[in-house]
Amino acid sequence: MSERERQELTKSEGAFMVNACEIDILAGVWGDLDDADRSRPVDELAGILLTLVDRGWIEVRRVAPWTPSSGEGKGSQPGELVPRDQLRTVLENAANWEYPDDFSWIGAVTLVETEAGKKIIR
């Protein structure tokens, strides 16, 4: 990935890349978007995110439970990949852009950078 390609990311694309780098749930992107992007409808933002998925830079997954090998404590991790043929429907669902009431976030949509995506941010 060249420096030029990194600089050509739009503000919205950059916000999604930061979100994926942080392995944050989709709702977390609101904090990285600028004011103009926050006013966009989620279906428009979904289209932007899908272009990054199709470039191979981001994966969309569901948060899954995680237990350390010691068996003590609980956490979460990126789980099952949302199939590409279901992504538009999932991403255009406004509920997936909200923080869940359950603080475990299990089942929430999360963004994960791919190896190719890591080259964009770093």
Side-chain angles (χ1 to χ4, degrees), residues 23-26 49 53 58-64 77-83 87 90-91 96 105-114:
I23 313 175
D24 200 356
I25 65 171
L26 184 58
L49 177 54
V53 169
I58 292 178
E59 291 179 336
V60 179
R61 297 181 169 269
R62 295 282 184 178
V63 176
Q77 64 185 357
E80 180 181 324
L81 184 67
V82 178
L87 269 180
V90 169
L91 296 176
N96 288 320
W105 298 354
I106 302 303
V109 173
T110 189
L111 305 180
V112 179
E113 66 184 343
T114 64

Side-chain angles (χ1 to χ4, degrees), residues 36-113:
D37 289 337
R38 282 189 205 113
S39 66
R40 292 180 181 208
V42 295
D43 62 326
E44 188 176 321
L45 292 170
I48 294 167
L49 177 54
L50 286 171
T51 63
L52 299 171
V53 169
D54 290 341
R55 289 179 189 164
W57 296 344
I58 292 178
E59 291 179 336
V60 179
R61 297 181 169 269
R62 295 282 184 178
V63 176
W66 174 79
T67 303
S69 58
S70 68
E72 296 179 26
K74 293 182 181 179
S76 62
Q77 64 185 357
E80 180 181 324
L81 184 67
V82 178
R84 177 60 179 91
D85 64 342
Q86 296 174 18
L87 269 180
R88 183 163 295 278
T89 301
V90 169
L91 296 176
E92 289 182 353
N93 179 345
N96 288 320
W97 294 77
E98 301 292 330
Y99 282 99
D101 294 332
D102 177 0
F103 289 108
S104 75
W105 298 354
I106 302 303
V109 173
T110 189
L111 305 180
V112 179
E113 66 184 343

Side-chain angles (χ1 to χ4, degrees), residues 4 24 27 49 73 83 119 121:
R4 180 186 56 79
D24 200 356
L49 177 54
K119 295 175 184 175
I121 295 296

Side-chain angles (χ1 to χ4, degrees), residues 11-12 14-16 18-19 22 24-35 37-38 45 97 99:
K11 290 179 183 179
S12 295
F16 285 117
V18 166
N19 198 256
E22 295 171 349
D24 200 356
I25 65 171
L26 184 58
V29 78
W30 295 115
D32 297 316
L33 293 170
D34 65 18
D35 290 338
D37 289 337
R38 282 189 205 113
L45 292 170
W97 294 77
Y99 282 99

